[in-house]
Amino acid sequence: MQKGLIGKKIGMTQLFDEKGNVVPVTVVEAGPCPVVMKKTLENDGYEAIQIGFGDVKVQKVTKPLKGHFDKAGVPAKKQLREFKFDDVDALNVGDILKADVFAAGDFVDVVGTSKGKGTAGAIKRWNFGRLKESHGTGPVARHAGSLGACSDPSRVYKGKKLAGHLGHERVTVQNLIVVKVDAENNLIAIKGAIPGPKGGIVLIKDSVKK
């Protein structure tokens, strides 16, 4: 059965394996995630399940969303996400997905929103090299340098790497290993780093390239 959960990044720590080696892990609070809706081929043109995460006061959701939750018979949730599974029929509206759907040793892909870093120059954003800081270079050592090709085509090509907005974009990290699952506290320890700040929302799902 395919698996997927919505979670909240708690932070990083380290665990020790049976050989005494240090394993850096990211702790994620994953679930409980109730199934709020099932998308079907007949009604929607594709099959998927919609799950929720994070409690929120009913007064804080819109009336259409309140009706959506009431129809499913689940409390109001802060986050809603869809997962396309091959075996959608195995789940029903109202079912609760918890951290124990994953087990130690599973390979997962984690999707998150990277930390926003504002407007950055070409060196920080694209790893450009610096110019010389002597022999008349002037105060432009961290500038991008020449951009045009030549008199033909006399313009800068689209997609040129320039200074601009860095971070705060959807990032997927593939083939991470689940090191430990604490089902009682809905915590999953995943080896390595995952995108986003502490408290950021992440999606954990089966790896597609394991």
Side-chain angles (χ1 to χ4, degrees), residues 8 10 26-31 98-100 102 178 180-190 204:
K8 181 172 71 173
I10 302 297
T26 304
V27 180
V28 178
E29 180 188 340
K98 297 183 178 179
D100 56 7
F102 291 102
V178 175
K180 187 177 181 181
V181 176
D182 183 353
E184 188 177 340
N185 296 306
N186 288 308
L187 298 176
I188 298 178
I190 300 172
I204 308 172

Side-chain angles (χ1 to χ4, degrees), residues 2 46-49 82-86 88:
Q2 288 182 303
Y46 65 99
E47 290 189 339
I49 64 162
E82 279 188 14
F83 290 84
K84 287 187 177 181
F85 294 153
D86 295 334
V88 171

